[in-house]
Amino acid sequence: MDDSNTIRRSAEIFLKQGGHEVLLADDGFDALAKVNDYQPQLIFCDILMPKLDGYQTCAIIKRNARFADTPVVMLSSKDGVFDKARGRMVGCQEYLTKPFTKDQLLQAVQQFGNSQQGAM
């Protein structure tokens, strides 16, 4: 079992080392507020979050016309076909399985992000 806070901090460090601005959210509601306030170019969304899980958070983001085109990359310790399909159903563009590497994160930013800003 991994420590989500450690994973989050690692992702933050990897992204900052890659030259990206990073915002962290404590839970799904905090993530929605930050997406609304800061309008990130790319969103990394952990499936295991308090209050709203990653699937619910992604679905709410994608239902908002302002953010429907904002790429969402799911982060999960599960890599089953069902989990990935569920991620696609709620609108995520990519699904990274934990533990992920710095290269995987930066590749996702390069593939989906179109500026120097990302959020988690």
Side-chain angles (χ1 to χ4, degrees), residues 2 7 24 36 49 52 62 67 70 72 78 82 87 111 118:
D2 59 54
I7 296 287
L24 295 181
N36 190 59
M49 288 191 297
L52 286 176
K62 291 297 185 174
F67 307 113
T70 303
V72 176
K78 299 178 181 179
F82 174 77
Q111 187 174 356

Side-chain angles (χ1 to χ4, degrees), residues 1-104:
M1 194 162 170
D2 59 54
D3 176 1
S4 289
N5 202 38
T6 303
I7 296 287
R8 232 167 33 130
R9 293 295 174 198
S10 298
E12 178 186 23
I13 290 165
F14 291 159
L15 291 167
K16 284 185 173 177
Q17 285 174 345
H20 304 284
E21 183 182 342
V22 180
L23 298 166
L24 295 181
D26 295 325
D27 56 50
F29 289 115
D30 187 29
L32 293 173
K34 285 187 170 146
V35 165
N36 190 59
D37 291 346
Y38 295 97
Q39 302 176 28
Q41 299 300 312
L42 174 63
I43 300 163
F44 287 98
C45 195
D46 195 335
I47 288 174
L48 296 174
M49 288 191 297
K51 299 179 183 171
L52 286 176
D53 70 20
Y55 296 122
Q56 294 166 314
T57 303
C58 181
I60 292 167
I61 290 168
K62 291 297 185 174
R63 278 199 296 264
N64 185 322
R66 285 173 60 207
F67 307 113
D69 295 329
T70 303
V72 176
V73 176
M74 291 290 209
L75 305 175
S76 177
S77 52
K78 299 178 181 179
D79 65 350
V81 173
F82 174 77
D83 301 296
K84 291 181 180 181
R86 190 170 172 203
R88 296 269 187 240
M89 284 171 58
V90 295
C92 81
Q93 273 64 37
E94 185 62 79
Y95 193 104
L96 292 182
T97 305
K98 298 185 248 180
F100 42 77
T101 66
K102 178 180 177 180
D103 287 343
Q104 285 175 305

